[in-house]
Amino acid sequence: MDQVLFQAMEVFWAKGFKSTSFEDITNKTKVKKQSLYGVFEDKRALFLSALVLYREHNLLKLQEIIAGEGSPEDQIDAILSTSMCENREDARKGCLMVNTALEFGISDADVTKQVEGMNNDVRLALEEVIEKGQAAGQFTTQYTSSELALHLANALQGVRVLQKSGQDNQQTEPILRTAFGLMKT
């Protein structure tokens, strides 16, 4: 079922929730509509499950970086590298959570909960690395780790919006390098 959910997530990611039909999902997953309805009550329930999967997948990536070898500065650089899309097609795809936030706003409490949860996951991961970096003298203490994490998370989200609207890495990479670089001592 995880493979089917992953494929459904890709469809929602490419088309958005409102533009995705069950036919789009069944074409991608090769699973009959009745079978999907047997597991997921409706398209919204499938979408929410896809958001959870996306969030868990991205949190796992962040946790692997934080648990890995290297200094806090190396870990921040790894987060930056992971955040940069390797090609224009991936960049235009954007971030599923940012795309969802732009599509829904705050109109659906369950969707908003997933978006806010992802934002919180990223902020807390950044804050953990920044705290270690501040203790090691690698990052500025002019601002709290919480303030710096909020700043970096905002820069990451802003870049995702720019990428979704067609900006390439030549234009977005300097934004992230500056935001990440300003906190280093």
Side-chain angles (χ1 to χ4, degrees):
M1 187 50 69
D2 281 347
Q3 181 63 26
V4 170
L5 190 54
F6 185 79
Q7 291 171 329
M9 179 186 73
E10 288 180 333
V11 176
F12 286 125
W13 197 347
K15 298 185 81 168
F17 174 78
K18 293 174 185 165
S19 295
T20 297
S21 68
F22 248 97
E23 184 178 343
D24 295 327
I25 295 167
T26 57
N27 287 340
K28 177 75 173 182
T29 63
K30 307 297 186 227
V31 175
K32 292 181 181 180
K33 188 176 182 178
Q34 299 86 340
S35 297
L36 286 173
Y37 275 127
V39 177
F40 303 99
E41 185 178 314
D42 55 18
K43 183 175 91 166
R44 181 178 171 277
L46 177 58
F47 180 66
L48 287 169
S49 294
L51 288 179
V52 169
L53 177 68
Y54 181 84
R55 181 177 167 195
E56 289 171 350
H57 178 74
N58 280 281
L59 182 57
L60 183 62
K61 277 194 232 177
L62 282 173
Q63 289 171 336
E64 286 172 358
I65 290 170
I66 293 169
E69 303 268 327
S71 68
E73 189 172 346
D74 293 337
Q75 292 173 344
I76 285 291
D77 289 341
I79 292 169
L80 171 63
S81 294
T82 301
S83 300
M84 296 305 301
C85 295
E86 293 181 18
N87 60 57
R88 199 163 183 81
E89 184 179 316
D90 286 345
R92 284 217 174 115
K93 193 170 153 183
C95 165
L96 179 59
M97 286 295 181
V98 171
N99 298 352
T100 299
L102 294 172
E103 181 176 0
F104 281 84
I106 56 169
S107 66
D108 184 307
D110 293 326
V111 170
T112 299
K113 180 180 176 184
Q114 288 305 315
V115 170
E116 288 177 351
M118 176 81 171
N119 292 341
N120 193 49
D121 293 343
V122 171
R123 182 188 55 77
L124 289 174
L126 289 168
E127 191 172 335
E128 181 180 338
V129 175
I130 292 166
E131 282 178 0
K132 290 189 288 187
Q134 286 176 324
Q138 294 178 328
F139 301 142
T140 182
T141 55
Q142 183 178 356
Y143 301 98
T144 67
S145 58
S146 179
E147 291 169 329
L148 290 170
L150 284 168
H151 172 70
L152 293 181
N154 184 59
L156 288 167
Q157 289 177 345
V159 163
R160 291 290 188 228
V161 172
L162 290 172
Q163 290 172 330
K164 179 75 174 165
S165 65
Q167 301 294 314
D168 62 23
N169 279 355
Q170 288 181 335
Q171 295 164 324
T172 57
E173 189 173 351
I175 295 168
L176 290 182
R177 291 225 179 276
T178 302
F180 280 65
L182 286 174
M183 67 178 217
K184 294 180 182 179
T185 56

